[in-house]
Amino acid sequence: MKKSLILFAAFVFTMGAASAQTTTQNETGQMQRPMRGQGMRNMTPEQRADQQAQRLTKQLSLSADQTTKVKSLALAQQQERQTMRTQASADRQAMMQNMKASRDKYEEQLKGILTSDQYTKYTQMRDERMNKMQDKLQDRKGKKGKMKASTNG
């Protein structure tokens, strides 16, 4: 009886550990683990624009009219970005310049929709988000550097 119980517990533990390591195959057949933040890539431009408008409405307390304008502006921006991504050429520098120009145009139009207080709050939130992303990137680079140093040494 004890052996059966121990075998059953070992089986359950093994199955739990195996299912916790979920992976998927991409188009080339390589195994991939699901990554955080990948949901945005699977969204349509309309879904991204809706999400962006909802986030800004909540964070900046936008009026109904502002929400409508922000949503249409975000949709135009997301569709433009989608086009840029599909037409991505080998010239990464040119694509980055196009994205920056698109972002600058969006910021200027958004500034016309928001009140000065809302725009100030928006720029603060945007800067905080950018700093957080840069910190995460630095952390990743630091971890990779440590891993290379430990494997080389």
Side-chain angles (χ1 to χ4, degrees):
M1 182 68 180
K2 278 186 177 181
K3 277 188 175 181
S4 300
L5 189 57
I6 290 172
L7 279 172
F8 179 72
F11 175 75
V12 169
F13 177 74
T14 304
M15 292 307 293
S19 66
Q21 299 176 4
T22 58
T23 58
T24 57
Q25 282 188 344
N26 62 12
E27 300 84 40
T28 61
Q30 296 174 338
M31 297 304 283
Q32 276 185 304
R33 285 193 178 151
M35 295 174 60
R36 286 180 32 206
Q38 294 295 313
M40 289 294 281
R41 290 187 182 179
N42 297 331
M43 296 173 84
T44 65
E46 291 80 11
Q47 291 170 325
R48 287 188 196 121
D50 280 342
Q51 187 177 44
Q52 187 174 0
Q54 288 173 2
R55 181 177 50 84
L56 290 178
T57 299
K58 181 180 174 187
Q59 292 174 336
L60 302 176
S61 303
L62 301 181
S63 67
D65 184 48
Q66 286 177 315
T67 301
T68 304
K69 290 178 181 178
V70 166
K71 187 174 178 178
S72 64
L73 177 61
L75 179 59
Q77 182 200 31
Q78 292 298 334
Q79 289 172 336
E80 186 177 346
R81 284 185 174 189
Q82 185 73 26
T83 302
M84 285 183 203
R85 282 187 203 104
T86 57
Q87 296 174 350
S89 64
D91 190 2
R92 184 172 173 84
Q93 191 68 29
M95 183 177 156
M96 288 174 59
Q97 288 174 346
N98 288 342
M99 289 286 215
K100 183 178 180 345
S102 174
R103 189 171 48 250
D104 291 344
K105 183 175 82 173
Y106 171 79
E107 295 279 328
E108 192 61 36
Q109 291 174 336
L110 186 63
K111 191 175 186 177
I113 295 171
L114 303 177
T115 66
S116 60
D117 290 341
Q118 287 172 328
Y119 188 73
T120 301
K121 186 175 179 181
Y122 167 77
T123 56
Q124 289 172 345
M125 291 184 323
R126 180 198 62 209
D127 293 344
E128 287 172 11
R129 195 170 56 245
M130 292 298 288
N131 288 336
K132 194 183 290 187
M133 287 184 350
Q134 287 177 347
D135 289 346
K136 284 183 181 180
L137 183 62
Q138 292 299 322
D139 287 348
R140 271 195 232 146
K141 285 183 178 181
K143 287 179 184 176
K144 285 182 182 177
K146 288 178 186 175
M147 287 173 48
K148 286 181 182 177
S150 66
T151 57
N152 291 335

